[in-house]
Amino acid sequence: MAEVEPRPLSDAGAGPGPGPALGVATAGNGHGHGDAGEQEVAGGGGKRTDDFGVETAEEATEPSEPDINELCKEMFTKMSVYLQGELTATCEDYKLLENMNKVTGLKYLEMKEIAVNINRNLKDLNQKYASLQPYLDQIGQIEEQVASLEQAAYRLDAYSKKLEAKFKKLEKR
């Protein structure tokens, strides 16, 4: 730090050299009349006393912390990478949903075509069944007649067995 040379308070703004413009302020009432000629560094800098008992002020500087700047840059870089990753992941999710919707739409179109084909085939089958209905009715009637003929045949067989038994009985006599 640069040391400020002491000088009389009456010379405080005159001539070249460090003065209040460099951050040196006089203590006291601010009019150049200090109690003991003390000088303070504006911004809270420290005071030093030289060999003659006069206090001198050090140049006011902010404590430089290059680490803070580097840490801020690193934080913003990492935050940028993180947010970029989040946005990329979100975009990929939306692309996946879009693809899934397209595939689902195609599947539904295929299922619609299948349903239309099934409906058309069902109508065709119903028309064919309607055209075959008279024949099916005739088959039903024939089946009833066959069943009644079968019953008649069983009765006739039973009657013929009775007659045969009577005939054999009469022959034996």
Side-chain angles (χ1 to χ4, degrees), residues 83-103:
L83 291 175
Q84 188 68 32
E86 286 292 318
L87 290 174
T88 302
T90 303
C91 285
E92 291 299 320
D93 288 345
Y94 280 121
K95 286 178 184 176
L96 177 63
L97 282 173
E98 183 180 4
N99 288 338
M100 288 172 62
N101 282 339
K102 286 179 182 177
V103 169

Side-chain angles (χ1 to χ4, degrees), residues 34-124:
D35 292 337
E38 293 181 356
Q39 295 179 339
E40 287 185 6
V41 175
K47 294 187 237 179
R48 289 203 300 200
T49 306
D50 64 0
D51 293 340
F52 302 108
V54 178
E55 292 184 4
T56 59
E58 294 181 11
E59 182 179 350
T61 59
E62 281 189 28
S64 78
E65 296 189 25
D67 292 341
I68 291 177
N69 289 336
E70 290 299 318
L71 290 173
C72 284
K73 286 179 183 177
E74 184 180 342
M75 180 196 67
F76 282 117
T77 302
K78 288 183 177 180
M79 187 63 104
S80 172
V81 168
Y82 169 75
L83 291 175
Q84 188 68 32
E86 286 292 318
L87 290 174
T88 302
T90 303
C91 285
E92 291 299 320
D93 288 345
Y94 280 121
K95 286 178 184 176
L96 177 63
L97 282 173
E98 183 180 4
N99 288 338
M100 288 172 62
N101 282 339
K102 286 179 182 177
V103 169
T104 304
L106 292 174
K107 285 290 183 184
Y108 278 123
L109 283 175
E110 289 175 11
M111 289 171 45
K112 178 185 172 189
E113 289 175 12
I114 291 170
V116 166
N117 288 337
I118 289 172
N119 189 26
R120 184 177 50 244
N121 290 339
L122 184 61
K123 285 181 181 179
D124 290 343

Side-chain angles (χ1 to χ4, degrees), residues 124-140:
D124 290 343
L125 285 174
N126 284 336
Q127 287 175 352
K128 289 177 182 178
Y129 181 77
S131 67
L132 290 176
Q133 189 62 44
Y135 299 112
L136 294 173
D137 291 341
Q138 285 179 0
I139 290 171

